Amino acid sequence: MQTRPSLRELGLNSGKKTRLRRILFDHGLRNGSAFFLPYDQGLEHGPRDFFANPQASDPAYIVKLAVAGGFNGIAIQIGLAEKFYWDYAGEVPLILKLNGKTDIPSDAEALSPVHASVEDAVRLGADAVGYTLYVGSPAQEADFAQYRKVRADAERLGMPLIVWAYPRGAAISAKGGNNSFYAVDYAARVASELGADVVKVNFPHPEKTS
């Protein structure tokens, strides 16, 4: 049975180790596991996600919920972080999402443009940054190029890098789909190979075709 390595075994610089320790042991579950509240879907999905629960469309309510709910961190885009996080700064770790796209274009050539920097995360008091990487997309080369700068900045500034690793594109669909074990496992491996400190993947559902 595999055991989880300690932070001191991961070869992290002191900045990354300090921030990850805060996330994992000073907040939320406090046992080395993490339970994050994601709130980047307003950009990713538009307003439809809030129709069933209009209160959730209020960023101030969500940040307060992250504190009250004892989450290990809240993941939000820069505009909301700048306007709403400051009132609860230090009470729940901030994961600043550095890139994101709308749901309007097709996912056939998925790419999430970068619209915030690791320097922004430091300025806002974040404990980690998040990056969405679309593995297998025809736009993968451009994705890798902008990710490379993010990774270098995160290393230089001691900021943990959390990668949302998602399979996308026709080549993935031809080999079992976004939810196959092949695609999810490959996406996780790619993120690890490219220097992610934490990797977020969707749970595989091989019975689905995309």
Side-chain angles (χ1 to χ4, degrees):
M1 181 178 177
Q2 286 187 325
T3 58
R4 178 184 296 149
S6 67
L7 290 178
R8 68 184 58 186
E9 297 176 87
L10 298 179
L12 302 169
N13 63 40
S14 58
K16 287 190 175 192
K17 182 180 176 184
T18 298
R19 291 180 170 96
L20 277 176
R21 180 167 292 280
R22 264 201 303 262
I23 290 172
L24 296 173
F25 297 102
D26 293 347
H27 295 272
L29 301 174
R30 300 173 190 264
N31 63 1
S33 296
F35 191 44
F36 298 131
L37 178 60
Y39 194 61
D40 59 336
Q41 67 266 36
L43 174 62
E44 298 287 342
H45 303 158
R48 72 174 187 268
D49 281 5
F50 309 122
F51 292 160
N53 181 15
Q55 193 173 18
S57 66
D58 178 6
Y61 166 77
I62 294 297
V63 178
K64 183 178 180 180
L65 180 66
V67 175
F71 286 85
N72 291 79
I74 180 171
I76 49 180
Q77 303 283 353
I78 187 166
L80 302 187
E82 289 183 330
K83 293 178 176 64
F84 297 97
Y85 177 71
W86 64 270
D87 203 29
Y88 295 94
E91 297 183 51
V92 61
L94 169 63
I95 303 163
L96 184 66
K97 279 299 296 292
L98 302 185
N99 69 334
K101 67 175 185 60
T102 70
D103 197 32
I104 299 170
S106 167
D107 262 357
E109 298 189 26
L111 176 67
S112 285
V114 171
H115 41 65
S117 67
V118 181
E119 286 86 352
D120 288 323
V122 173
R123 171 174 57 85
L124 291 168
D127 278 312
V129 293
Y131 185 96
T132 298
L133 185 70
Y134 289 119
V135 177
S137 167
Q140 180 176 269
E141 184 176 351
D143 207 350
F144 284 4
Q146 64 178 19
Y147 171 83
R148 179 182 178 184
K149 183 180 187 312
V150 167
R151 187 200 60 78
D153 288 344
E155 189 68 24
R156 175 172 58 86
L157 295 170
M159 184 67 66
L161 175 55
I162 302 174
V163 173
W164 279 242
Y166 295 149
R168 290 292 187 274
I172 291 291
S173 297
K175 296 183 178 182
N178 299 348
N179 299 289
S180 67
F181 286 114
Y182 164 82
V184 173
D185 193 29
Y186 205 152
R189 183 71 193 200
V190 168
S192 298
E193 293 278 352
L194 296 182
D197 298 305
V198 178
V199 181
K200 189 269 182 188
V201 295
N202 287 331
F203 192 82
H205 290 279
E207 71 279 7
K208 297 183 179 180
T209 57
S210 62

